[in-house]
Amino acid sequence: MTVKIIIKRKFKNANKKNVSEVIYEFRKLAMREKGYISSESLYSSSDPNLILVLSMWQKKEDWDRYMKNPVRQETEKKCAELFARPPEYESFILGLPFAQSDHDFVEPLEF
């Protein structure tokens, strides 16, 4: 099933160029992975050092494989000094698990 991953990164008072480069590097890595669909980046209106990335994947297993990618893990280590705290990750399945009838819920397309 299609999943959206919420990635929350809190940066130290880093300059905007460094933050943009880090986010761009992770996106480039993800785009090469099987199952990647899209992502978008948001920053907090009250704290510009707090970045939220919404990443969409065809399956949770595709995301899990990306998380284990040695290049991604190495990139995470190299960027660690820019983070105020470790990144937080949470996955969500598209749709509603408690639909009452077929009219309330449309199953997401499988790829």
Side-chain angles (χ1 to χ4, degrees):
M1 297 185 96
T2 304
V3 294
K4 280 203 176 190
I5 309 299
I6 296 178
I7 306 161
K8 192 185 287 188
R9 288 191 173 95
K10 172 75 173 176
F11 288 87
K12 296 176 184 173
N13 288 325
N15 73 44
K16 292 176 185 172
K17 183 176 185 260
N18 286 347
V19 170
S20 295
E21 287 173 358
V22 167
I23 299 300
Y24 180 67
E25 187 62 31
F26 283 112
R27 180 162 294 146
K28 280 191 331 186
L29 290 170
M31 290 172 72
R32 296 181 190 133
E33 290 290 323
K34 179 183 178 217
Y36 173 83
I37 298 173
S38 67
S39 59
E40 61 183 308
S41 300
L42 310 162
Y43 68 93
S44 170
S45 59
S46 61
D47 180 0
N49 290 317
L50 180 59
I51 307 292
L52 190 73
V53 176
L54 303 173
S55 186
M56 186 182 294
W57 295 79
Q58 291 177 2
K59 299 178 205 163
K60 174 75 166 55
E61 295 79 14
D62 295 329
W63 164 255
D64 292 338
R65 187 178 49 257
Y66 167 68
M67 286 294 288
K68 293 175 185 171
N69 179 318
V71 176
R72 191 211 65 79
Q73 291 176 341
E74 186 61 32
T75 302
E76 189 94 34
K77 286 178 190 173
K78 285 194 292 189
C79 297
E81 66 186 34
L82 298 174
F83 301 142
R85 62 178 182 245
E88 298 172 28
Y89 305 95
E90 192 161 355
S91 65
F92 293 84
I93 298 170
L94 266 61
L96 300 172
F98 44 80
Q100 298 297 313
S101 70
D102 290 341
H103 300 289
D104 294 338
F105 178 70
V106 176
E107 190 70 36
L109 294 175
E110 293 286 15
F111 292 90

